[in-house]
Amino acid sequence: GNSVTQMEGPVTLSEEAFLTINCTYTATGYPSLFWYVQYPGEGLQLLLKATKADDKGSNKGFEATYRKETTSFHLEKGSVQVSDSAVYFCALPLGGSNYKLTFGKGTLLTVNP
Amino acid sequence: NAGVTQTPKFQVLKTGQSMTLQCAQDMNHEYMSWYRQDPGMGLRLIHYSVGAGITDQGEVPNGYNVSRSTTEDFPLRLLSAAPSQTSVYFCASSQTGGRGTEAFFGQGTRLTVV
């Protein structure tokens, strides 16, 4: 079945630093790929997504490109802020159903002023 | 907008007790799911539903029951709580099963079984 391997943290950065969180996947076919973010004390919310190869998802300054050659969907941001401190999850559909997801283990990001 | 609402937010149970975690959504979504979140494990799918009256098992269903009598509600029942069920539980809903569909999550229920 589909699975995802995500860089484990924690990651600690200073404000305005560059962020990369690695995500690679194993899947049948070319599934949609997602990044979800969990702010302290809250549920998960969609950060960005890509539905086909070479698509770039972007939101709130974050970007990720669907690379089928390397089966990767790495999350990047050029200049992080304290408010970006959260747990980030890479995810893709579990099996062939788009409404069921399998998640990476999550990466805790802490941004210091 | 309420979105997905979970109750309670916190719960402590003794081993062997039963309880129901409530989940309700007001977006008229057909698809609903329950996940558990454990440290270092990400989220794992417990049960899911594709519509009222239809449920199925996910990756880790043992010890849990679900039902879906209405589109809005999807309760999760723990029949006989065990310490291994100590976790944070999230309910999620999706409007469609289409490609790239977004899942909306509740704020979670933190359950401790002693």
Side-chain angles (χ1 to χ4, degrees):
Chain A
N2 294 354
S3 65
V4 57
T5 301
Q6 179 180 343
M7 181 180 88
E8 295 186 38
V11 175
T12 303
L13 296 173
S14 297
E15 210 165 20
E16 300 183 2
F18 183 84
L19 169 71
T20 298
I21 301 178
N22 290 339
C23 172
T24 57
Y25 66 91
T26 301
T28 303
Y30 302 104
S32 299
L33 302 173
F34 304 87
W35 278 99
Y36 280 83
V37 59
Q38 183 181 28
Y39 297 104
E42 299 185 10
L44 281 73
Q45 57 185 270
L46 179 66
L47 178 61
L48 55 84
K49 67 181 181 183
T51 58
K52 63 182 186 294
D54 300 324
D55 262 4
K56 178 184 285 187
S58 61
N59 187 26
K60 299 182 180 181
F62 290 89
E63 294 182 340
T65 301
Y66 191 136
R67 303 283 190 201
K68 67 176 182 180
E69 301 85 2
T70 55
T71 61
S72 65
F73 193 54
H74 304 322
L75 182 68
E76 297 182 337
K77 187 174 185 182
S79 177
V80 294
Q81 305 300 312
V82 172
S83 57
D84 294 327
S85 297
V87 182
Y88 293 82
F89 293 94
C90 187
L92 71 159
L94 184 64
S97 303
N98 290 291
Y99 50 86
K100 300 181 293 180
L101 297 173
T102 186
F103 290 84
K105 294 183 178 181
T107 301
L108 173 62
L109 170 67
T110 302
V111 181
N112 295 318
Chain B
N1 291 338
V4 179
T5 302
Q6 291 184 236
T7 55
K9 286 187 168 51
F10 302 94
Q11 182 71 49
V12 179
L13 286 181
K14 294 182 179 178
T15 298
Q17 286 185 318
S18 63
M19 79 160 294
T20 299
L21 280 62
Q22 302 292 342
C23 175
Q25 53 93 7
D26 63 356
M27 298 174 283
N28 201 34
H29 287 175
E30 287 297 317
Y31 302 91
M32 298 186 74
S33 305
W34 276 102
Y35 296 85
R36 59 177 289 173
Q37 182 183 29
D38 300 296
M41 302 280 292
L43 279 75
R44 292 179 291 169
L45 181 67
I46 304 172
H47 285 285
Y48 65 96
S49 169
V50 301
I54 307 170
T55 64
D56 206 347
Q57 296 180 351
E59 300 171 284
V60 288
N62 292 342
Y64 307 95
N65 275 356
V66 291
S67 60
R68 184 99 180 268
S69 56
T70 67
T71 299
E72 294 78 19
D73 300 301
F74 190 44
L76 178 72
R77 295 183 185 84
L78 280 70
L79 307 175
S80 177
S84 61
Q85 294 179 304
T86 293
S87 187
V88 181
Y89 292 85
F90 287 100
C91 179
S93 72
S94 304
Q95 184 174 22
T96 75
R99 193 169 180 80
T101 190
E102 176 180 358
F104 293 83
F105 287 81
Q107 290 197 313
T109 295
R110 183 175 294 275
L111 175 68
T112 302
V113 182
V114 298

mmCIF file of all heavy atoms in Angstrom, chain A residues 24-51:
data_model
loop_
_atom_site.group_PDB
_atom_site.id
_atom_site.type_symbol
_atom_site.label_atom_id
_atom_site.label_comp_id
_atom_site.label_asym_id
_atom_site.label_seq_id
_atom_site.Cartn_x
_atom_site.Cartn_y
_atom_site.Cartn_z
ATOM 1 N N THR A 24 9.364 11.731 1.099
ATOM 2 C CA THR A 24 9.355 10.823 -0.039
ATOM 3 C C THR A 24 8.211 9.834 0.147
ATOM 4 O O THR A 24 7.787 9.566 1.275
ATOM 5 C CB THR A 24 10.678 10.063 -0.182
ATOM 6 O OG1 THR A 24 10.937 9.339 1.034
ATOM 7 C CG2 THR A 24 11.832 11.008 -0.450
ATOM 8 N N TYR A 25 7.732 9.291 -0.960
ATOM 9 C CA TYR A 25 6.559 8.429 -0.877
ATOM 10 C C TYR A 25 6.747 7.158 -1.705
ATOM 11 O O TYR A 25 7.573 7.116 -2.620
ATOM 12 C CB TYR A 25 5.306 9.173 -1.332
ATOM 13 C CG TYR A 25 5.322 9.535 -2.799
ATOM 14 C CD1 TYR A 25 4.793 8.675 -3.751
ATOM 15 C CD2 TYR A 25 5.873 10.738 -3.228
ATOM 16 C CE1 TYR A 25 4.815 8.989 -5.096
ATOM 17 C CE2 TYR A 25 5.909 11.070 -4.572
ATOM 18 C CZ TYR A 25 5.379 10.194 -5.505
ATOM 19 O OH TYR A 25 5.422 10.513 -6.828
ATOM 20 N N THR A 26 5.962 6.162 -1.364
ATOM 21 C CA THR A 26 5.837 4.940 -2.147
ATOM 22 C C THR A 26 4.367 4.770 -2.463
ATOM 23 O O THR A 26 3.527 4.811 -1.547
ATOM 24 C CB THR A 26 6.335 3.721 -1.353
ATOM 25 O OG1 THR A 26 7.698 3.919 -0.984
ATOM 26 C CG2 THR A 26 6.212 2.454 -2.177
ATOM 27 N N ALA A 27 4.055 4.620 -3.734
ATOM 28 C CA ALA A 27 2.639 4.545 -4.107
ATOM 29 C C ALA A 27 2.467 3.848 -5.440
ATOM 30 O O ALA A 27 3.390 3.802 -6.267
ATOM 31 C CB ALA A 27 2.040 5.950 -4.186
ATOM 32 N N THR A 28 1.269 3.336 -5.610
ATOM 33 C CA THR A 28 0.861 2.806 -6.906
ATOM 34 C C THR A 28 0.276 3.951 -7.712
ATOM 35 O O THR A 28 -0.616 4.657 -7.239
ATOM 36 C CB THR A 28 -0.194 1.707 -6.721
ATOM 37 O OG1 THR A 28 0.343 0.682 -5.880
ATOM 38 C CG2 THR A 28 -0.598 1.133 -8.056
ATOM 39 N N GLY A 29 0.781 4.138 -8.902
ATOM 40 C CA GLY A 29 0.284 5.225 -9.731
ATOM 41 C C GLY A 29 0.815 6.572 -9.276
ATOM 42 O O GLY A 29 1.896 6.667 -8.683
ATOM 43 N N TYR A 30 0.040 7.603 -9.512
ATOM 44 C CA TYR A 30 0.452 8.962 -9.203
ATOM 45 C C TYR A 30 -0.622 9.628 -8.341
ATOM 46 O O TYR A 30 -1.481 10.344 -8.840
ATOM 47 C CB TYR A 30 0.684 9.739 -10.504
ATOM 48 C CG TYR A 30 1.729 9.077 -11.372
ATOM 49 C CD1 TYR A 30 1.374 8.354 -12.498
ATOM 50 C CD2 TYR A 30 3.074 9.152 -11.027
ATOM 51 C CE1 TYR A 30 2.334 7.725 -13.278
ATOM 52 C CE2 TYR A 30 4.040 8.531 -11.797
ATOM 53 C CZ TYR A 30 3.660 7.809 -12.922
ATOM 54 O OH TYR A 30 4.606 7.190 -13.686
ATOM 55 N N PRO A 31 -0.520 9.404 -7.041
ATOM 56 C CA PRO A 31 -1.563 9.932 -6.153
ATOM 57 C C PRO A 31 -1.401 11.426 -5.914
ATOM 58 O O PRO A 31 -0.339 12.004 -6.174
ATOM 59 C CB PRO A 31 -1.299 9.175 -4.853
ATOM 60 C CG PRO A 31 0.184 8.948 -4.862
ATOM 61 C CD PRO A 31 0.514 8.668 -6.316
ATOM 62 N N SER A 32 -2.432 12.060 -5.403
ATOM 63 C CA SER A 32 -2.313 13.427 -4.905
ATOM 64 C C SER A 32 -1.413 13.422 -3.673
ATOM 65 O O SER A 32 -1.363 12.441 -2.932
ATOM 66 C CB SER A 32 -3.686 13.983 -4.536
ATOM 67 O OG SER A 32 -4.526 14.023 -5.657
ATOM 68 N N LEU A 33 -0.721 14.534 -3.463
ATOM 69 C CA LEU A 33 0.183 14.673 -2.327
ATOM 70 C C LEU A 33 -0.190 15.924 -1.534
ATOM 71 O O LEU A 33 -0.602 16.934 -2.116
ATOM 72 C CB LEU A 33 1.639 14.770 -2.791
ATOM 73 C CG LEU A 33 2.155 13.600 -3.618
ATOM 74 C CD1 LEU A 33 3.552 13.894 -4.146
ATOM 75 C CD2 LEU A 33 2.166 12.320 -2.796
ATOM 76 N N PHE A 34 -0.038 15.836 -0.220
ATOM 77 C CA PHE A 34 -0.493 16.899 0.658
ATOM 78 C C PHE A 34 0.555 17.228 1.724
ATOM 79 O O PHE A 34 1.323 16.350 2.147
ATOM 80 C CB PHE A 34 -1.773 16.480 1.414
ATOM 81 C CG PHE A 34 -2.910 16.044 0.547
ATOM 82 C CD1 PHE A 34 -3.031 14.732 0.120
ATOM 83 C CD2 PHE A 34 -3.897 16.947 0.189
ATOM 84 C CE1 PHE A 34 -4.091 14.321 -0.663
ATOM 85 C CE2 PHE A 34 -4.970 16.548 -0.600
ATOM 86 C CZ PHE A 34 -5.061 15.238 -1.027
ATOM 87 N N TRP A 35 0.533 18.466 2.163
ATOM 88 C CA TRP A 35 1.163 18.865 3.406
ATOM 89 C C TRP A 35 0.078 19.450 4.309
ATOM 90 O O TRP A 35 -0.651 20.365 3.906
ATOM 91 C CB TRP A 35 2.259 19.909 3.203
ATOM 92 C CG TRP A 35 3.568 19.316 2.796
ATOM 93 C CD1 TRP A 35 4.086 19.236 1.540
ATOM 94 C CD2 TRP A 35 4.533 18.712 3.663
ATOM 95 N NE1 TRP A 35 5.322 18.620 1.572
ATOM 96 C CE2 TRP A 35 5.620 18.286 2.860
ATOM 97 C CE3 TRP A 35 4.599 18.488 5.040
ATOM 98 C CZ2 TRP A 35 6.754 17.656 3.399
ATOM 99 C CZ3 TRP A 35 5.714 17.869 5.566
ATOM 100 C CH2 TRP A 35 6.780 17.454 4.749
ATOM 101 N N TYR A 36 -0.016 18.881 5.520
ATOM 102 C CA TYR A 36 -0.910 19.398 6.544
ATOM 103 C C TYR A 36 -0.065 19.996 7.668
ATOM 104 O O TYR A 36 1.035 19.537 7.939
ATOM 105 C CB TYR A 36 -1.802 18.294 7.105
ATOM 106 C CG TYR A 36 -2.990 17.964 6.239
ATOM 107 C CD1 TYR A 36 -2.868 17.086 5.153
ATOM 108 C CD2 TYR A 36 -4.240 18.536 6.484
ATOM 109 C CE1 TYR A 36 -3.962 16.805 4.357
ATOM 110 C CE2 TYR A 36 -5.339 18.260 5.681
ATOM 111 C CZ TYR A 36 -5.185 17.394 4.618
ATOM 112 O OH TYR A 36 -6.271 17.112 3.819
ATOM 113 N N VAL A 37 -0.642 21.005 8.352
ATOM 114 C CA VAL A 37 0.056 21.662 9.453
ATOM 115 C C VAL A 37 -0.829 21.619 10.701
ATOM 116 O O VAL A 37 -2.065 21.739 10.605
ATOM 117 C CB VAL A 37 0.440 23.112 9.098
ATOM 118 C CG1 VAL A 37 -0.781 23.957 8.742
ATOM 119 C CG2 VAL A 37 1.233 23.769 10.223
ATOM 120 N N GLN A 38 -0.189 21.388 11.829
ATOM 121 C CA GLN A 38 -0.905 21.351 13.109
ATOM 122 C C GLN A 38 -0.285 22.375 14.041
ATOM 123 O O GLN A 38 0.828 22.180 14.544
ATOM 124 C CB GLN A 38 -0.818 19.948 13.725
ATOM 125 C CG GLN A 38 -1.589 19.796 15.023
ATOM 126 C CD GLN A 38 -1.462 18.395 15.602
ATOM 127 O OE1 GLN A 38 -0.473 17.712 15.386
ATOM 128 N NE2 GLN A 38 -2.475 17.966 16.330
ATOM 129 N N TYR A 39 -0.995 23.471 14.273
ATOM 130 C CA TYR A 39 -0.541 24.484 15.221
ATOM 131 C C TYR A 39 -0.839 24.019 16.644
ATOM 132 O O TYR A 39 -1.740 23.195 16.853
ATOM 133 C CB TYR A 39 -1.193 25.824 14.929
ATOM 134 C CG TYR A 39 -0.825 26.367 13.570
ATOM 135 C CD1 TYR A 39 -1.717 26.320 12.503
ATOM 136 C CD2 TYR A 39 0.442 26.904 13.334
ATOM 137 C CE1 TYR A 39 -1.374 26.786 11.250
ATOM 138 C CE2 TYR A 39 0.793 27.378 12.072
ATOM 139 C CZ TYR A 39 -0.118 27.301 11.038
ATOM 140 O OH TYR A 39 0.237 27.758 9.798
ATOM 141 N N PRO A 40 -0.107 24.517 17.617
ATOM 142 C CA PRO A 40 -0.267 24.038 18.997
ATOM 143 C C PRO A 40 -1.717 24.060 19.464
ATOM 144 O O PRO A 40 -2.405 25.072 19.354
ATOM 145 C CB PRO A 40 0.607 25.017 19.792
ATOM 146 C CG PRO A 40 1.659 25.452 18.826
ATOM 147 C CD PRO A 40 0.971 25.525 17.498
ATOM 148 N N GLY A 41 -2.167 22.922 19.985
ATOM 149 C CA GLY A 41 -3.516 22.826 20.538
ATOM 150 C C GLY A 41 -4.631 22.748 19.521
ATOM 151 O O GLY A 41 -5.809 22.815 19.897
ATOM 152 N N GLU A 42 -4.300 22.594 18.241
ATOM 153 C CA GLU A 42 -5.325 22.581 17.209
ATOM 154 C C GLU A 42 -5.297 21.285 16.417
ATOM 155 O O GLU A 42 -4.392 20.465 16.554
ATOM 156 C CB GLU A 42 -5.128 23.765 16.264
ATOM 157 C CG GLU A 42 -5.243 25.124 16.947
ATOM 158 C CD GLU A 42 -5.152 26.260 15.950
ATOM 159 O OE1 GLU A 42 -5.184 26.018 14.743
ATOM 160 O OE2 GLU A 42 -5.041 27.412 16.412
ATOM 161 N N GLY A 43 -6.318 21.114 15.598
ATOM 162 C CA GLY A 43 -6.335 19.999 14.670
ATOM 163 C C GLY A 43 -5.497 20.311 13.441
ATOM 164 O O GLY A 43 -4.938 21.391 13.307
ATOM 165 N N LEU A 44 -5.407 19.345 12.551
ATOM 166 C CA LEU A 44 -4.632 19.537 11.329
ATOM 167 C C LEU A 44 -5.421 20.379 10.341
ATOM 168 O O LEU A 44 -6.658 20.329 10.300
ATOM 169 C CB LEU A 44 -4.320 18.182 10.676
ATOM 170 C CG LEU A 44 -3.189 17.369 11.271
ATOM 171 C CD1 LEU A 44 -3.581 16.774 12.602
ATOM 172 C CD2 LEU A 44 -2.762 16.278 10.298
ATOM 173 N N GLN A 45 -4.704 21.126 9.534
ATOM 174 C CA GLN A 45 -5.329 21.860 8.445
ATOM 175 C C GLN A 45 -4.450 21.771 7.212
ATOM 176 O O GLN A 45 -3.211 21.679 7.326
ATOM 177 C CB GLN A 45 -5.588 23.327 8.822
ATOM 178 C CG GLN A 45 -4.378 24.111 9.260
ATOM 179 C CD GLN A 45 -4.744 25.506 9.740
ATOM 180 O OE1 GLN A 45 -4.787 26.441 8.964
ATOM 181 N NE2 GLN A 45 -5.015 25.636 11.022
ATOM 182 N N LEU A 46 -5.095 21.790 6.065
ATOM 183 C CA LEU A 46 -4.362 21.664 4.822
ATOM 184 C C LEU A 46 -3.488 22.887 4.603
ATOM 185 O O LEU A 46 -3.955 24.026 4.688
ATOM 186 C CB LEU A 46 -5.336 21.508 3.653
ATOM 187 C CG LEU A 46 -4.708 21.383 2.276
ATOM 188 C CD1 LEU A 46 -3.921 20.081 2.171
ATOM 189 C CD2 LEU A 46 -5.780 21.444 1.188
ATOM 190 N N LEU A 47 -2.211 22.648 4.300
ATOM 191 C CA LEU A 47 -1.296 23.738 3.990
ATOM 192 C C LEU A 47 -1.192 23.907 2.477
ATOM 193 O O LEU A 47 -1.338 25.008 1.960
ATOM 194 C CB LEU A 47 0.075 23.456 4.589
ATOM 195 C CG LEU A 47 1.171 24.488 4.315
ATOM 196 C CD1 LEU A 47 0.785 25.846 4.883
ATOM 197 C CD2 LEU A 47 2.508 24.015 4.889
ATOM 198 N N LEU A 48 -0.942 22.811 1.773
ATOM 199 C CA LEU A 48 -0.877 22.855 0.322
ATOM 200 C C LEU A 48 -1.001 21.458 -0.232
ATOM 201 O O LEU A 48 -0.863 20.475 0.499
ATOM 202 C CB LEU A 48 0.417 23.542 -0.159
ATOM 203 C CG LEU A 48 1.747 22.996 0.343
ATOM 204 C CD1 LEU A 48 2.220 21.814 -0.489
ATOM 205 C CD2 LEU A 48 2.816 24.099 0.303
ATOM 206 N N LYS A 49 -1.220 21.377 -1.541
ATOM 207 C CA LYS A 49 -1.361 20.079 -2.182
ATOM 208 C C LYS A 49 -0.917 20.164 -3.635
ATOM 209 O O LYS A 49 -0.771 21.254 -4.198
ATOM 210 C CB LYS A 49 -2.819 19.609 -2.113
ATOM 211 C CG LYS A 49 -3.764 20.461 -2.955
ATOM 212 C CD LYS A 49 -5.201 19.962 -2.840
ATOM 213 C CE LYS A 49 -6.128 20.813 -3.707
ATOM 214 N NZ LYS A 49 -7.560 20.399 -3.563
ATOM 215 N N ALA A 50 -0.691 18.994 -4.223
ATOM 216 C CA ALA A 50 -0.416 18.877 -5.648
ATOM 217 C C ALA A 50 -1.083 17.598 -6.138
ATOM 218 O O ALA A 50 -1.019 16.574 -5.465
ATOM 219 C CB ALA A 50 1.079 18.838 -5.918
ATOM 220 N N THR A 51 -1.724 17.678 -7.288
ATOM 221 C CA THR A 51 -2.517 16.544 -7.749
ATOM 222 C C THR A 51 -1.907 15.802 -8.927
ATOM 223 O O THR A 51 -2.411 14.743 -9.309
ATOM 224 C CB THR A 51 -3.936 16.988 -8.118
ATOM 225 O OG1 THR A 51 -3.841 17.994 -9.132
ATOM 226 C CG2 THR A 51 -4.661 17.539 -6.912
#
